[in-house]
Amino acid sequence: MPTPHEAEKQHTGPEEADRPPSMSSYDTAPPAAPSRNPCCLCWCCCCSCSWNQERRHVWQASHESKLQPLPSCEACTPPSPEEVQSWAQSFDKLMHSPAGRSVFRAFLRTEYSEENMLFWLACEELKAEANQHVVDEKARLIYEDYISILSPKEVSLDSRVREGINKKMQEPSAHTFDDAQLQIYTLMHRDSYPRFLSSPTYRALLLQSSPQSSSEA
């Protein structure tokens, strides 16, 4: 005949003892879902709260018309022959030319790296902003669109720069992304710019701006 202790072990075997209590064992209802107010760390798009998802939908709707189209001053002014030729002298001259940025951005699109130029332009726009409330919002959106590993337009940054951005995002400023912008600028200079100079796109522009082409016209 089993002892009381053995009878208790047979009744509550190891599986039942380890099994978590069922919902019926709780005296109160499950905790209510979190409120729709933003959590304290919602600047990172890793947060999946409903407020951040709604913000993301609004941003996606406005972002296409805000950063994607080329500014009118870059799209409507044709470059002079001298300006086109100056783009081969230095990357700085190319990037300081609105028409040069437009042509270079179109080239980056063919290499599936247009996000580098978009990020650089967004940083320039952020640095020109004086309103702190707007700076906070733009910095948050730039992070979500170009820094977050969840974004399809994430730019390539090293871990040091990423860690610096994460710290600065606690109190964003107009210069939060300066190190990242410089790194992407350097990447475009060393990687994409040489290929751009030898591309059919730039060669065609040079041909059109050559004196012989102008005289024939």
Side-chain angles (χ1 to χ4, degrees):
M1 180 176 181
T3 65
H5 179 67
E6 293 174 338
E8 184 179 353
K9 287 183 62 176
Q10 292 175 357
H11 179 69
T12 64
E15 293 184 358
E16 290 191 22
D18 296 338
R19 185 179 303 161
S22 63
M23 289 297 294
S24 61
S25 66
Y26 289 104
D27 295 329
T28 59
S35 66
R36 295 172 66 85
N37 294 328
C39 61
C40 60
L41 297 177
C42 267
W43 62 263
C44 172
C45 75
C46 297
C47 177
S48 58
C49 67
S50 59
W51 177 84
N52 206 41
Q53 291 176 343
E54 289 178 5
R55 277 188 69 259
R56 184 64 179 171
H57 292 321
V58 173
W59 163 242
Q60 287 176 335
S62 63
H63 185 64
E64 293 298 323
S65 61
K66 188 173 184 180
L67 289 181
Q68 293 292 342
L70 292 169
S72 57
C73 63
E74 296 189 10
C76 66
T77 305
S80 65
E82 294 77 13
E83 187 176 4
V84 172
Q85 294 170 10
S86 72
W87 298 344
Q89 297 174 9
S90 72
F91 185 60
D92 288 343
K93 289 187 176 182
L94 172 68
M95 293 294 285
H96 277 86
S97 164
R101 291 194 298 269
S102 175
V103 175
F104 186 56
R105 177 180 168 182
F107 169 76
L108 292 177
R109 189 179 300 123
T110 66
E111 293 203 330
Y112 304 101
S113 58
E114 185 184 12
E115 66 275 2
N116 290 334
M117 177 65 80
L118 293 176
F119 172 68
W120 188 88
L121 291 172
C123 291
E124 289 294 292
E125 184 180 327
L126 177 66
K127 289 191 293 187
E129 185 56 61
N131 186 304
Q132 184 58 44
H133 177 73
V134 177
V135 167
D136 290 347
E137 182 66 9
K138 285 186 176 182
R140 191 185 302 257
L141 297 176
I142 290 174
Y143 185 97
E144 292 177 1
D145 227 31
Y146 301 109
I147 308 301
S148 169
I149 60 174
L150 302 179
S151 172
K153 292 189 290 186
E154 175 197 6
V155 295
S156 179
L157 300 171
D158 62 37
S159 59
R160 177 189 62 83
V161 172
R162 286 185 176 278
E163 290 174 2
I165 290 175
N166 288 336
K167 293 178 180 178
K168 293 176 182 177
M169 282 300 295
Q170 297 177 17
E171 295 182 7
S173 74
H175 299 281
T176 293
F177 302 100
D178 281 3
D179 290 342
Q181 186 186 24
L182 177 60
Q183 191 167 99
I184 294 303
Y185 187 91
T186 304
L187 176 65
M188 291 190 293
H189 182 193
R190 295 178 177 177
D191 186 57
S192 302
Y193 177 60
R195 291 196 298 272
F196 167 74
L197 295 181
S198 59
S199 68
T201 299
Y202 183 60
R203 290 180 178 274
L205 287 174
L206 281 178
L207 185 61
Q208 294 174 8
S209 63
S210 65
Q212 181 179 358
S213 176
S214 301
S215 61
E216 290 178 355

